[in-house]
Amino acid sequence: MARGKLRIYLGAAPGVGKTYAMLSEAHRRIERGTDCVVAFVEHHHRPRTEVMLHGLEQLSRQELDYRGSVFREMDVDAVLRRAPAVALVDELAHTNVPGSRNAKRWQDVEELLAAGIDVISTVNIQHLESLGDVVESITGVRQRETVPDEVVRRADQIELVDMSPQALRRRMAHGNVYQPDKVDAALSNYFRPGNLTALRELALLWVADRVDEYLNAYRSEHRVSAIWASRERIVVGLTGGPEGRTLIRRAARLAEKGAGGEVLAVYVSRSDGLTGASPKELADQRTLVEDLGGTFHHVVGDDIPAALLDFARGVNATQIVLGVSRRRSWQYVFGPGVGATVARESGPDLDAHLITHDEAGKGRGLPVARGARLGRSRVTWGWLVGVLGPALLTWLLTNVTPDGGLANDMLLFLTMTVAAALLGGLFPALASAVVGSLLLNWYFTPPVHTLTIADPTNIVAIAIFVGVAVSVASVVDLAARRTHQAARLRAESEILSFLAGNVLRGETGLEELLERVRETFGMESVALLERTAETTPWTCAGSVGPEPARIPEDADVDVPVGDHMALSLRGRVLPAADRRVLAAFATQAAVVLDRQRLQGEADRAKELAEGNRIRTALLAAVSHDLRTPLAGIKAAVTSLRSDEVEWSEQDQADLLQAIEQGADRLDHLVGNLLDMSRLQTGTVTPLIRETDLDEVVPMALGGVPEDSVELDVPETLPMVHIDRGLLERAVANVVENAVKYSPKGRQVLVSASALADRVEVRVVDRGPGVPDEAKDRIFEPFQRYGDSPRGVGVGLGLAVARGFAEAIGGSLHAEDTPGGGLTMVLAVPTAPERGRAQPDQPAAATS
């Protein structure tokens, strides 16, 4: 039996119309005579979606009892018995109730496909397993219901159902997605414009990647070698030189000009493993290209232009970016160079860009390895020219152009020695001088074919020849040494300049600095050791790498920093020339360590200053806010005790009421002060347990008038994992603050809803609101924003509420109320075993 075909409608968020599109497709197929049934479709009480179910055959669902509730899931056996040509299965990522045939709905779909039934399904981009972390970082919601990417990739058709964030929010505001009581919470949280835009981009890019996979598969199947410029794909050729960073940034700018552009950096190394590239420079360039959203590739090939072009055509690239050659003008006699060759052979379907940079024309050589003045290839060529060159020249002079004269012969041999010196330095030139002098004596100085020299002037000429050859070789060798030293000093100065700049700007911590030391010098581990005196043991202030040295004597390299600090490295013994730079690193490490400790002391001083500020404010509160209710209580008591006035029963009741109100106010103020003191000293120890939110929130409303609050806390909310007392105090403070600022006659709304793995309590008032720049400041101790109409309190209510919310693992923040006012959002975690939100909640719902 042939396997059924899977068609998936993919959307960026609930409400974009995936289910509606699936049902429309079902109606079109039925009109064409296709046997199509509804195996499972959830319309979520959306009128337009529900209407689309009319006229479609709907199969019965399986009812399962779980924890006292009845759930209706898709009946796989019923679908298999009915055996339709096409089955509609909504919400591919849905998790079935325990006791179902399969754990996940996509597994049910796999059974239907294996039975030869075509399936049309829906899924949101946030439910793809590989995007879980990305979606959580964008929306703050962790999706518990996911489907493996491979299941969706295997679909025969994937159709994107797209809608702009503004249109989706309008659809929600009109009540076409969620019930009216859930719209405000959804628009303020998951369905913010930024969230929807980011999810839409994820969906578009994911579908674009799948289309690219299909295109590559088609080109491979049909052996299409020509480049199809379906999207801008830019290859950057790297040499390992410093110009690579310029090329990568330029390629990234080119990619930004076209939608969906992609940057692929590639480094070609020879098959023999020999390379002149700096591993550190390549690592930095790899980090840069990945930070810019591209990818880094390492390929092997002896023919660099051919390898670059093969790679570019293999990935269907449209552009290739190369740097202008670093070779000097005379070096072009050896060939046109990689850039010119790639540009000539790229063809009309691949654009080649040659980018100028600061290193162009300055020579190809990078700083050579330690201990080598000239490159290995140059030394090899120097020996070949110095030894074989004189022999070849002798053959030419004796067979091709005989009788040229001894002076001319000596000049030609001197030229060969100078060439050997230029290429290989001192020793190849000396070898050339020795070989050349012997050949001159044997073949060209009378009497020939003997080492005897008859004419004394010829002896002087040969001696001058040897002297000039040795002098030229010495000058070339000295120049090579100076060049090597200059390159090394330049590299050292760049390293030290970069290091000093980072340290001065505070961008480098101690571990980062030690890691840079380890990478720069190729060591296994680096440790900064210190001790307080000569007789005290060494302690490790910081280290990187495995098994760092615990005492300087155990290290391969030990650099002292002052009398009581040392930088110890393990891995290999460094030459003396490296110790100068290493000493600078060690000094900077000591500076970084001192700066970190000073920063710690500054933080502690800041905490002390904050404590002093709070104590000063506390004294002010005691001297003013606490004395006010005390003064009222004392005046009322004095009046009642007075024998000079005969108070009526009503007057006595009013005075007693004033005493009671003053005592309550005083108790509230003292309670907040004590709570803030506990939070400041870190002595709040929450007792976390599972609790129903509808049992806690009503208890927190005892301190406000009954008609001032509208309560909407459903009993169906999942249980929360909190400390009841702390949550009650937090809600009470937030509600009292909202009532205080709410206009007269306007009730404060206290509602609650489940959102993924948390429950949010929203306290909504219609007061004057708070500007964005003050939303965080209102949670600081002793802060009161604006005028308080019933001016009570010392500005601690919201600070205490946030402190208690964070102590129980929750959060408290302020948002603007649509239409004016302020909304306080108190989020608390749900209980682990009952933390999954109901399917009709905004964050977890699929359409």
Side-chain angles (χ1 to χ4, degrees):
M1 179 180 297
R3 179 180 172 86
K5 296 184 179 299
L6 175 62
R7 178 171 183 169
I8 293 178
Y9 287 93
L10 176 69
V16 296
K18 301 180 303 300
T19 304
Y20 190 93
M22 179 179 66
L23 295 175
S24 299
E25 175 65 19
H27 281 286
R28 285 193 295 270
R29 296 199 180 197
I30 290 177
E31 291 175 358
R32 296 196 299 264
T34 305
D35 182 15
C36 185
V37 301
V38 176
F40 186 95
V41 169
E42 183 61 63
H43 54 72
H44 295 294
H45 304 291
R46 297 169 188 170
R48 296 185 178 181
T49 305
E50 191 171 359
V51 168
M52 292 297 295
L53 287 170
H54 296 166
L56 298 178
E57 179 185 351
Q58 300 185 50
L59 300 182
S60 61
R61 299 185 184 181
Q62 182 182 16
E63 294 186 353
L64 297 170
D65 182 43
Y66 179 67
R67 291 187 174 180
S69 299
V70 177
F71 296 87
R72 303 180 68 198
E73 298 286 3
M74 181 176 70
D75 192 340
V76 180
D77 291 328
V79 181
L80 293 175
R81 287 193 301 269
R82 173 63 175 76
V86 179
L88 308 183
V89 182
D90 204 5
E91 300 178 1
L92 185 64
H94 173 75
T95 301
N96 294 328
V97 174
S100 300
R101 183 189 188 109
N102 297 301
K104 305 287 289 187
R105 183 163 293 163
W106 64 264
Q107 295 172 328
D108 296 338
V109 170
E110 286 294 319
E111 283 197 41
L112 300 182
L113 294 173
I117 301 174
D118 293 346
V119 176
I120 304 177
S121 187
T122 64
V123 71
N124 283 326
I125 191 67
Q126 63 265 30
H127 294 296
L128 294 181
E129 198 168 78
S130 65
L131 299 178
D133 294 338
V134 179
V135 173
E136 183 178 14
S137 66
I138 294 172
T139 64
V141 177
R142 182 67 180 183
Q143 297 295 333
R144 298 179 180 273
E145 294 186 330
T146 60
V147 58
D149 289 44
E150 186 60 29
V151 173
V152 183
R153 283 197 183 98
R154 289 200 305 262
D156 299 275
Q157 297 182 59
I158 300 177
E159 183 171 335
L160 178 66
V161 182
D162 189 29
M163 177 176 287
S164 69
Q166 294 77 12
L168 179 56
R169 285 173 60 85
R170 285 195 301 269
R171 176 181 288 185
M172 294 192 64
H174 295 158
N176 295 331
V177 179
Y178 294 126
Q179 298 299 316
D181 59 334
K182 296 184 175 68
V183 171
D184 286 341
L187 291 176
S188 301
N189 288 276
Y190 192 87
F191 289 85
R192 292 193 293 266
N195 289 0
L196 296 178
T197 302
L199 292 174
R200 187 188 187 196
E201 183 178 13
L202 279 179
L204 291 170
L205 291 176
W206 195 91
V207 172
D209 287 339
R210 301 294 76 72
V211 173
D212 201 47
E213 288 180 3
Y214 297 149
L215 177 61
N216 289 334
Y218 179 86
R219 295 178 72 244
S220 176
E221 180 181 352
H222 293 80
R223 299 180 180 179
V224 178
S225 58
I227 292 176
W228 290 358
S230 55
R231 63 185 295 189
E232 290 296 336
R233 184 173 282 108
I234 303 172
V235 171
V236 185
L238 301 178
T239 65
E243 76 279 0
R245 284 166 283 185
T246 302
L247 303 183
I248 292 170
R249 294 189 179 96
R250 181 59 184 273
R253 292 195 296 271
L254 290 173
E256 290 175 356
K257 294 180 180 179
E262 184 179 358
V263 176
L264 300 91
V266 57
Y267 172 72
V268 181
S269 63
R270 298 187 182 276
S271 58
D272 56 8
L274 299 178
T275 176
S278 167
K280 179 64 172 60
E281 186 67 34
L282 282 177
D284 291 342
Q285 292 174 16
R286 178 172 192 156
T287 301
L288 175 61
V289 72
E290 291 175 350
D291 290 343
L292 293 175
T295 57
F296 182 89
H297 304 270
H298 188 170
V299 300
V300 177
D302 293 326
D303 188 344
I304 294 178
L308 283 174
L309 291 172
D310 289 343
F311 177 84
R313 293 191 174 100
V315 298
N316 200 29
T318 58
Q319 303 180 54
I320 185 167
V321 174
L322 301 171
V324 173
S325 178
R326 288 183 283 118
R327 297 190 301 174
R328 301 186 186 278
S329 300
W330 62 269
Q331 291 177 306
Y332 282 96
V333 300
F334 299 106
V338 174
T341 304
V342 170
R344 185 182 67 247
E345 299 179 1
S346 60
D349 53 357
L350 180 61
D351 297 335
H353 301 267
L354 292 180
I355 308 300
T356 59
H357 49 84
D358 294 338
E359 304 297 322
K362 294 184 177 180
R364 298 182 59 182
L366 296 172
V368 296
R370 295 179 176 87
R373 296 167 184 166
L374 297 171
R376 180 181 300 178
S377 61
R378 284 188 59 181
V379 174
T380 302
W381 278 104
W383 280 103
L384 292 175
V385 172
V387 176
L388 299 181
L392 179 61
L393 181 60
T394 300
W395 181 83
L396 292 174
L397 293 177
T398 56
N399 294 279
V400 180
T401 58
D403 301 328
L406 181 61
N408 293 332
D409 295 340
M410 284 187 176
L411 289 176
L412 291 174
F413 275 94
L414 181 61
T415 302
M416 194 64 63
T417 302
V418 171
L422 292 173
L423 289 173
L426 179 61
F427 294 106
L430 292 177
S432 178
V434 172
V435 173
S437 62
L438 292 175
L439 292 174
L440 278 171
N441 189 5
W442 185 268
Y443 287 100
F444 304 103
T445 305
V448 296
H449 300 150
T450 66
L451 295 179
T452 303
I453 301 177
D455 190 351
T457 58
N458 291 337
I459 298 176
V460 175
I462 292 178
I464 293 174
F465 165 76
V466 174
V468 171
V470 172
S471 300
V472 171
S474 300
V475 171
V476 172
D477 184 70
L478 179 62
R481 281 204 308 266
R482 294 291 184 263
T483 302
H484 170 68
Q485 291 173 358
R488 182 179 182 82
L489 290 174
R490 178 183 176 184
E492 290 179 359
S493 64
E494 290 178 353
I495 292 174
L496 294 178
S497 175
F498 179 78
L499 172 65
N502 281 359
V503 172
L504 290 176
R505 291 190 297 268
E507 298 175 357
T508 303
L510 181 59
E511 284 72 20
E512 289 82 358
L513 179 61
L514 296 180
E515 180 63 27
R516 184 169 180 83
V517 173
R518 190 176 72 87
E519 291 180 353
T520 301
F521 296 97
M523 306 301 288
E524 295 179 358
S525 63
V526 181
L528 183 63
L529 308 177
E530 64 175 347
R531 59 183 179 181
T532 56
E534 294 290 342
T535 57
T536 57
W538 290 94
T539 60
C540 182
S543 65
V544 294
E547 300 181 0
R550 297 303 175 185
I551 58 176
E553 290 76 10
D554 292 342
D556 295 317
V557 180
D558 172 31
V559 180
V561 186
D563 296 331
H564 305 298
M565 190 174 293
L567 186 66
S568 301
L569 299 86
R570 275 184 169 178
R572 61 189 178 91
V573 178
L574 295 178
D578 286 335
R579 291 182 177 268
R580 180 173 60 254
V581 179
L582 191 57
F585 271 103
T587 303
Q588 294 290 3
V591 171
V592 170
L593 180 61
D594 291 340
R595 190 186 68 225
Q596 287 184 350
R597 289 175 175 172
L598 289 174
Q599 183 64 42
E601 293 178 1
D603 292 340
R604 289 191 291 272
K606 184 178 180 181
E607 292 177 0
L608 292 175
E610 180 68 15
N612 289 333
R613 186 184 71 83
I614 292 179
R615 281 191 287 272
T616 302
L618 179 60
L619 291 175
V622 171
S623 62
H624 179 268
D625 296 270
L626 295 182
R627 291 180 63 183
T628 300
L630 284 175
I633 293 173
K634 182 174 178 59
V637 171
T638 302
S639 299
L640 289 174
R641 289 174 56 87
S642 176
D643 297 332
E644 300 177 358
V645 180
E646 183 176 352
W647 303 99
S648 66
E649 292 184 0
Q650 182 62 39
D651 292 336
Q652 291 179 6
D654 291 342
L655 291 173
L656 290 174
Q657 184 179 3
I659 293 173
E660 183 179 11
Q661 291 176 347
D664 291 340
R665 180 180 172 188
L666 185 62
D667 178 70
H668 179 75
L669 294 175
V670 172
N672 276 341
L673 289 172
L674 292 177
D675 290 339
M676 180 53 60
S677 176
R678 292 167 58 201
L679 290 171
Q680 291 291 331
T681 57
T683 57
V684 175
T685 305
L687 180 60
I688 303 297
R689 62 179 61 181
E690 295 181 10
T691 307
D692 283 321
L693 198 65
D694 59 342
E695 297 178 0
V696 179
V697 175
M699 300 295 295
L701 307 182
V704 296
E706 293 183 1
D707 59 347
S708 63
V709 176
E710 177 186 352
L711 187 61
D712 180 18
V713 180
E715 297 181 356
T716 58
L717 290 174
M719 299 186 71
V720 292
H721 210 51
I722 47 90
D723 182 301
R724 291 188 55 149
L726 296 183
L727 179 61
E728 182 179 333
R729 294 296 301 275
V731 174
N733 283 355
V734 172
V735 172
E736 290 175 6
N737 182 79
V739 170
K740 180 172 64 176
Y741 285 95
S742 186
K744 188 175 182 180
R746 298 294 299 271
Q747 288 184 322
V748 172
L749 173 63
V750 179
S751 63
S753 60
L755 192 65
D757 56 351
R758 66 183 187 270
V759 173
E760 289 188 349
V761 179
R762 307 178 71 86
V763 180
V764 183
D765 68 61
R766 295 293 178 177
V770 176
D772 292 339
E773 62 271 12
K775 282 186 172 63
D776 286 332
R777 193 168 65 248
I778 60 177
F779 292 101
E780 297 178 1
F782 303 102
Q783 296 290 325
R784 285 183 287 192
Y785 180 77
D787 297 327
S788 177
R790 290 175 281 281
V792 297
V794 294
L796 285 176
L798 294 181
V800 170
R802 171 173 277 188
F804 283 167
E806 293 176 350
I808 60 177
S811 63
L812 176 64
H813 66 276
E815 297 178 354
D816 291 329
T817 301
L822 190 68
T823 299
M824 290 291 180
V825 182
L826 175 61
V828 293
T830 56
E833 66 274 13
R834 297 179 60 183
R836 190 168 70 90
Q838 298 298 324
D840 61 346
Q841 299 298 334
T846 58
S847 64

